[in-house]
Amino acid sequence: MRQRRTLYSPQGSEIILDGEHVTSFCSNDYLGLAGHPDVVQAFHAGLDNFGAGSGASHLVSGHSAPHHALEEELAAFTGRSRALVFSSGYMANVGVITTLLGKDDAVVEDRLNHASLLDGGLFSGAAFKRYAHLDNEALAGVLEKITGKRKLVISDGVFSMDGDMANLPGLAATVSAHDGLLMIDDAHGFGVLGDNGGGTVAYWQQQGHILDEENLQVLVGTFGKAFGSSGAFVAGSEELIETLIQFCRPYIYTTAMPPAQAEAIRTSLRLVQKDRWRREYLAQMISRFRTNCEELGLTLLPSMTPIQAIVLGDVDLALEASEQLFEDGLFVSAIRPPTVPAGTARLRVTFSAIHTEDQFLKLLDGMVKVAHLYHSREQAS
Ligand SMILES: *Cc1c(COP(=O)(O)O)cnc(C)c1O
């Protein structure tokens, strides 16, 4: 049985969890914006100006000036014609997929896609296919056999449990060669990758690749990770966004997020673009951590993002390692099947730009103990 632990402090690098003070390497607040004074201040000002709630859905009377401004800023940020704000990433993904696809269509997904993308594919009633993780040839093989009217290929930008990145230029080329549409959910890439925080798309564009509305038709981002808030957006063509406004049920039949929250997210968006040091600092921590773990003989999955997975294999070992770290005042979660494939139970460390040098060194000490545990178990078996 999975259990929930209760947080008695704000999200941050030092938290109070179930009454214990621990250093957390376990949140998705990659840039440390959830507690940023400017973001909190913008939320306060938004409350003063717009009240606590939106009062209605977007199509009735809940679409306010802050939502609208945020959408325009997101369109500019992503280089898309338009953007649409949703109350959560789960709803955005389910909403887009079920709006674009019906039973005569096909959806093709990377095997390790986020649950919301898999659910959206299943709920749509379209023929559902998966391809081996990051395997472009396997994808091409699947696409060749499909006869459906519309083919939507979907991938995470950065994979949430492994931290690795999709090869967007390769995906885009394969998908357009088969007359498909490409959708990328970059929940973990936005804010973290690319010089201006533009995510996986920006990362590849900086290497000279073109990834626009023509070859990457649906781009999804969320506000619950690097933006330090919650909610999500879909960016794309005028036609895509207008279709969603008219037909997307998870957009239409739900209360708009509080306008004050949209104000806070607008401030996050400015900080995401402006504070490059947060990405640079993260990149340094990540590379030091990887070097250290490799020296300790631990198995890391390939990842240049703040998500670092240390594969221990055995479920009990992963749980024991996580418990031992917790006793030493470090919160690092154990991730186990069915969230990840059998035999790949792991520790999942996530870094944030607010981690201090001391906190980082404490984690490295903890990893020395994990390595001992891992190697002693290896010898025993
Ligand atoms: C977190 C996440 C989501 C869900 O977003 P919420 O706003 O938390 O509902 C969707 N896709 C991916 C890849 C995610 O990591």
Side-chain angles (χ1 to χ4, degrees):
M1 294 293 278
R2 289 155 188 259
Q3 267 160 20
R4 301 174 303 166
R5 307 202 215 203
T6 307
L7 191 62
Y8 291 90
S9 65
Q11 192 58 266
S13 55
E14 292 292 332
I15 58 172
I16 306 172
L17 197 66
D18 284 347
E20 305 281 342
H21 286 74
V22 288
T23 305
S24 168
F25 286 91
C26 208
S27 89
N28 303 319
D29 182 21
Y30 302 124
L31 300 182
L33 298 184
H36 192 288
D38 293 0
V39 177
V40 174
Q41 173 53 37
F43 216 141
H44 277 298
L47 287 168
D48 290 339
N49 295 328
F50 294 94
S54 66
S57 62
H58 282 277
L59 294 194
V60 177
S61 65
H63 185 68
S64 64
H67 297 123
H68 205 76
L70 175 59
E71 288 179 353
E72 284 173 353
E73 289 159 9
L74 287 165
F77 176 57
T78 55
R80 262 56 190 166
S81 304
R82 276 181 85 178
L84 192 68
V85 169
F86 282 73
S87 298
S88 84
Y90 188 95
M91 289 167 66
N93 283 336
V94 168
V96 170
I97 301 167
T98 54
T99 304
L100 294 183
L101 303 181
K103 65 173 174 41
D104 298 332
D105 304 316
V107 58
V108 186
E109 305 208 19
D110 186 293
R111 219 162 234 301
L112 297 191
N113 272 359
H114 189 262
S116 56
L117 296 169
L118 303 176
D119 288 359
L122 293 170
F123 298 163
S124 72
F128 190 94
K129 303 267 187 266
R130 295 211 259 176
Y131 59 93
H133 182 48
L134 298 182
D135 189 338
N136 218 354
E137 277 177 35
L139 168 62
V142 171
L143 286 171
E144 264 148 36
K145 293 199 208 97
I146 289 178
T147 50
K149 271 198 293 195
R150 181 178 264 177
K151 308 170 213 178
L152 180 65
V153 175
I154 312 178
S155 174
D156 282 20
V158 170
F159 288 83
S160 51
M161 290 302 134
D162 293 25
D164 52 354
M165 204 193 307
N167 178 340
L168 299 192
L171 271 178
T174 305
V175 174
S176 23
H178 292 86
D179 296 322
L181 299 172
L182 178 60
M183 168 171 174
I184 297 295
D185 170 3
D186 206 17
H188 295 277
F190 274 110
V192 167
L193 296 171
D195 286 346
N196 69 342
T200 314
V201 170
Y203 170 88
W204 288 109
Q205 281 171 336
Q206 273 165 235
Q207 332 258 331
H209 298 282
I210 295 170
L211 291 161
D212 56 17
E213 286 168 19
E214 297 296 314
N215 63 355
L216 197 175
Q217 288 84 1
V218 186
L219 183 57
V220 176
T222 66
F223 305 128
K225 279 119 191 180
F227 284 74
S229 182
S230 73
F233 67 92
V234 178
S237 67
E238 176 68 36
E239 191 189 350
L240 171 72
I241 300 304
E242 203 50 46
T243 301
L244 294 174
I245 294 173
Q246 302 306 323
F247 301 110
C248 177
R249 297 171 70 89
Y251 178 76
I252 299 169
Y253 297 105
T254 196
T255 301
M257 79 164 53
Q261 190 177 335
E263 288 290 84
I265 295 167
R266 293 178 68 201
T267 298
S268 290
L269 178 57
R270 278 193 284 279
L271 289 168
V272 159
Q273 295 174 84
K274 180 169 80 74
D275 281 2
R276 288 176 183 224
W277 68 265
R278 291 174 194 273
R279 281 180 284 282
E280 287 157 12
Y281 180 71
L282 274 174
Q284 275 174 21
M285 259 194 301
I286 293 160
S287 107
R288 285 171 69 197
F289 180 75
R290 293 188 66 85
T291 307
N292 256 276
C293 287
E294 275 153 22
E295 282 168 9
L296 291 170
L298 292 168
T299 309
L300 290 168
L301 294 181
S303 160
M304 54 180 288
T305 69
I307 302 167
Q308 295 291 321
I310 304 109
V311 177
L312 301 175
D314 180 57
V315 174
D316 293 333
L317 182 58
L319 290 174
E320 196 178 331
S322 173
E323 273 159 29
Q324 182 182 296
L325 289 168
F326 198 78
E327 277 165 28
D328 290 341
L330 286 158
F331 185 30
V332 174
S333 63
I335 310 275
R336 51 190 152 144
T339 308
V340 293
T344 71
R346 62 194 67 180
L347 291 174
R348 179 174 178 270
V349 168
T350 53
F351 288 106
S352 168
I354 49 171
H355 282 126
T356 64
E357 177 69 12
D358 280 355
Q359 291 166 338
F360 179 73
L361 294 175
K362 188 172 157 188
L363 174 68
L364 292 188
D365 286 344
M367 295 315 294
V368 172
K369 287 201 188 172
V370 169
H372 274 298
L373 191 66
Y374 177 64
H375 293 308
S376 66
R377 212 49 64 83
E378 232 179 10
Q379 271 162 9
S381 65

